[in-house]
Amino acid sequence: MNEAPTPEAPIVCARCGKTAAELPVTWTCSVENGTRQYFCEECARANIRAIEGRLDSSWW
């Protein structure tokens, strides 16, 4: 019902380029300028304040 659509494989981190065959539950999803972007756990943890502040990834 409220589930996000499953992306086609492979999933690529928009920040560092890390790939995954399936979407890991530890990755973060963000919609920026109408485009869904995924961030790996390491990139999300390193930029959590900017993510929570809803800043576009180009800023951080």
Side-chain angles (χ1 to χ4, degrees):
M1 198 166 171
N2 288 333
E3 295 179 26
T6 304
E8 296 181 17
I11 294 88
V12 179
C13 175
R15 186 92 175 134
C16 70
K18 183 176 181 177
T19 61
E22 294 182 8
L23 183 60
V25 297
T26 56
W27 283 34
T28 300
C29 175
S30 174
V31 177
E32 298 177 15
N33 300 320
T35 304
R36 187 177 299 268
Q37 297 183 354
Y38 296 93
F39 299 98
C40 69
E41 181 177 1
E42 291 81 15
C43 290
R45 285 180 182 264
N47 298 287
I48 192 68
R49 288 186 182 212
I51 293 169
E52 288 179 344
R54 304 190 61 81
L55 299 173
D56 284 346
S57 60
S58 59
W59 187 87
W60 39 279

